[in-house]
Amino acid sequence: MMVEYDWRPEQAVKSLNRILPQVEKTFADKIGQAPDEWHKFKNRLHREWERLFIYLHQLYGWQYDFFYTLQRILNTLVQYWLERPAELKLLDEKREADPCWFLSEKVVGGVLYVDLFSDNLAKLDDHISYFKKLGLNYLHLMPLFAVPKGDNDGGYAVSDYRATNPDIGTMEELSKLAAELRDEGISLVLDFVFNHTSDEHIWAQKAKSNHPDFMAYYHTYPDRELPDQFQKYLRDIFPTVRKGDFTWCEEMKRWVWTTFNSFQWDLNYSNPKVFRAMAEEMLFLANQGVEVLRLDAVAFIWKRLGTNCENQPEAHTIIRAFNAMAKIVAPCLLFKSEAIVHPDDVIQYIHTEECQLSYNPLLMALLWEALATRETKLLEYSMRHRYPIPAGCTWVNFIRCHDDIGWTFDDQDARNIGIDPAVHRKFLNKFYTGEHPDSFAKGIPFQFNADTGDVRISGTFSSLAGLEDAISKQDSELIEQAVRRINLLRSIMVSIGGIPLLYIGDEWGMLNDYSYLSDPTIVNDSRWVHRSRKRWNAREDLTDQDTLEWRFFHEMVKLFDLRKQLPALQNGGMDVIHTGNPHLFGYLRAFKDQKILIINNFSEEPQTMDAVHLNACGVKDDVMNLITNDVLSSGKDLVLNGHQSVWLDIS
Ligand code: GLC
């Protein structure tokens, strides 16, 4: 077979050689002031340019002014690199020398809403010691940008990527905070909401005034012809709020593509100006000291007629092009993908040249699934073949976050082990909304879709795990059961391959907060039940040992500390083991000489893993459970208490 000649690498070099001298001329003064640094920048540029060229060519090569696009992009790269503060350039060098730093067992994350946690950015400073006490070194602040008043989808309708919501603080405060966190060894993580802007963003406002350049920033249509053709294949993301993915804009007298809410306008990435404008916003944020960007709603950024317009190949190309640009200007910047889609598609975003980090929605959903069924077969089966990801990347594991829980497991995985996926999802929804007679959970339905019967689940970790119900019944045995469930899921989040991500509030056992029901702007969005303003006055209450909050907090700290002492817990992988017991879920973590066998009991009843299975996993001598310091004698069966998790050192 003849291999087709690939002309692109050669053309990439040619174009760079043509454009770079012009750009060097434009910025000659500044470049002249830092010749060594410029040299390092150019090395990175030469290293990444070929793939950036290829991606851009795939996306925009067919447009007559492609060379102009390349010129503008190179200009952007140099401009943002020149603007990058010196201390961040130092961090870039440090990270380049240790590019896999985030795979360390020492990395532990937390996520919070600034306004709910500390009212504003200025006051967040006072809590750095709290984050340190918890052991966090990765802090994700939920969207804090300028947004429309009223409903703004919890900050995910951004009106200006360069201005914070004035109620929360200023951009200066944000970069100051980033520096303070950095000094304390905590990396700042922010959202990059790049699928859409709010309809109040300056680009949307200009589009509304019929400015053709800005209308081309969005997908707009004069009539229903195309929207109707697209709509046939699209799903409703927020079906209780609205049907369909298009919104009529009276000012423009056109339909606008709005995948989420009607005030969130999808950006049109087939326009190279949009790509460059958003790349600039990305680099601007990187220059404020952000080390990880959570790429929001990655699946939706490219539209193609006749498809569901999710996970299109160009979505990957766009992210890879952003990745190449980041590697040139701000090499310490990492991407985390937020792809809450089918597990086959989630994996596609994970690559060192795309997103080095990814949420693990499948693990999250299946932990809740196993907690409800008390059986681990779906969890075990799915994790065995769906956990591996490319080297140099890692999962971000969470039990709860600001969003709902959807049952994203693969239907065929379920069928392969004798589970009817549709029936099972119905059961799980009933279980977690408390409709099932045996349920311990106090979840709230989210986005019930009358057409499909589909629904998702809102609720806090503790309320879903039975604590709210137990407390309301004032039943101390039920309370202890809920505590054990919580500790079980925490133990897995902390020990399985990846970065554990704590949803702040869960460290002290935050329960559902129903006050959103009296706020008309959010009453229809049950996710606010787990976005609570309620606080535990940690600094004062840290010593009040009689409270459940104190217990939860200290158990969490203890687990994080233990993780940090175990090199075997680094990296994003793990090997699922055969436990021989349908209620147990076990995996092996290993690094160099250290081997840790982790076994988790999903049932309330004691469960046994017999000596034969233990032996097959490498348990040869007496081994210690690192959580309790108990010793398991070799050759004996292991009996786990209800919901117990053991970390056996079998090195
Ligand atoms: C992401 C966010 C979610 C938001 C959506 C639209 O999925 O996590 O909260 O509603 O994007 O921006």
Side-chain angles (χ1 to χ4, degrees), residues 69-86:
T69 297
L70 289 178
Q71 278 177 322
R72 303 297 297 154
I73 296 273
L74 189 55
N75 218 73
T76 293
L77 292 170
V78 176
Q79 183 194 331
Y80 282 82
W81 173 74
L82 285 171
E83 285 171 12
R84 190 158 174 78

Side-chain angles (χ1 to χ4, degrees), residues 69-173:
T69 297
L70 289 178
Q71 278 177 322
R72 303 297 297 154
I73 296 273
L74 189 55
N75 218 73
T76 293
L77 292 170
V78 176
Q79 183 194 331
Y80 282 82
W81 173 74
L82 285 171
E83 285 171 12
R84 190 158 174 78
E87 63 273 22
L88 293 177
K89 288 183 175 160
L90 282 178
L91 182 65
D92 289 334
E93 285 188 20
K94 186 172 152 203
R95 297 298 194 217
E96 281 202 301
D98 179 18
C100 289
W101 65 273
F102 56 91
L103 299 181
S104 161
E105 71 280 7
K106 304 272 189 300
V107 178
V108 167
V111 49
L112 58 87
Y113 278 102
V114 175
D115 52 341
L116 301 182
F117 180 77
S118 63
D119 297 328
N120 56 39
L121 283 168
K123 289 198 216 151
L124 199 73
D125 275 17
D126 306 345
H127 297 270
I128 293 181
S129 59
Y130 181 67
F131 303 140
K132 294 204 76 171
K133 212 165 263 161
L134 262 169
L136 307 184
N137 39 36
Y138 162 120
L139 186 66
H140 176 186
L141 305 181
M142 298 290 297
L144 38 68
F145 300 100
V147 283
K149 284 247 172 298
D151 188 5
N152 48 52
D153 192 17
Y156 283 98
V158 177
S159 302
D160 187 345
Y161 297 92
R162 297 181 185 226
T164 53
N165 179 342
D167 297 341
I168 291 180
T170 64
M171 230 359 145
E172 290 68 42
E173 282 170 338

Side-chain angles (χ1 to χ4, degrees), residues 113 142-143 152-157 191 193 195-196 237-238 260-261 264 294 296-297 300 338 340 359 401-404 446 525 527 531:
Y113 278 102
M142 298 290 297
N152 48 52
D153 192 17
Y156 283 98
D191 283 82
V193 188
N195 174 66
H196 46 261
I237 305 293
F238 294 145
F260 294 92
N261 290 289
Q264 289 164 300
R294 168 194 182 275
D296 180 60
F300 300 91
E338 191 249 354
I340 311 302
Y359 279 111
C401 69
H402 71 290
D403 276 333
D404 46 288
F446 177 65
D525 187 341
R527 291 175 298 178
R531 298 172 183 175

Side-chain angles (χ1 to χ4, degrees), residues 206-248:
K206 287 192 177 163
K208 282 184 198 171
S209 65
N210 283 306
H211 191 310
D213 282 359
F214 289 94
M215 284 161 79
Y217 270 50
Y218 301 95
H219 301 271
T220 75
Y221 307 91
D223 53 40
R224 287 294 310 186
E225 197 186 328
L226 272 171
D228 285 345
Q229 287 182 36
F230 274 113
Q231 192 65 60
K232 275 189 240 158
Y233 304 93
L234 304 179
R235 63 179 166 130
D236 289 330
I237 305 293
F238 294 145
T240 58
V241 180
R242 53 189 270 271
K243 287 265 172 220
D245 288 56
F246 300 87
T247 301
W248 176 251

Side-chain angles (χ1 to χ4, degrees), residues 5 16 23 25 29 55-56 64 108 149 175-176 235 261 290 308 362 367-368 382 450 454 484 490 502 558 560 574 590:
Y5 171 68
L16 186 59
V23 179
K25 222 187 253 168
D29 282 358
Y55 301 143
L56 293 172
Y64 78 95
V108 167
K149 284 247 172 298
S175 36
K176 194 170 140 258
R235 63 179 166 130
N261 290 289
V290 179
N308 66 357
L362 182 63
L367 290 176
W368 288 108
S382 308
D454 192 23
R484 285 196 288 271
R490 282 174 160 192
L502 175 77
K558 215 173 98 187
F560 284 153
M574 58 107 181

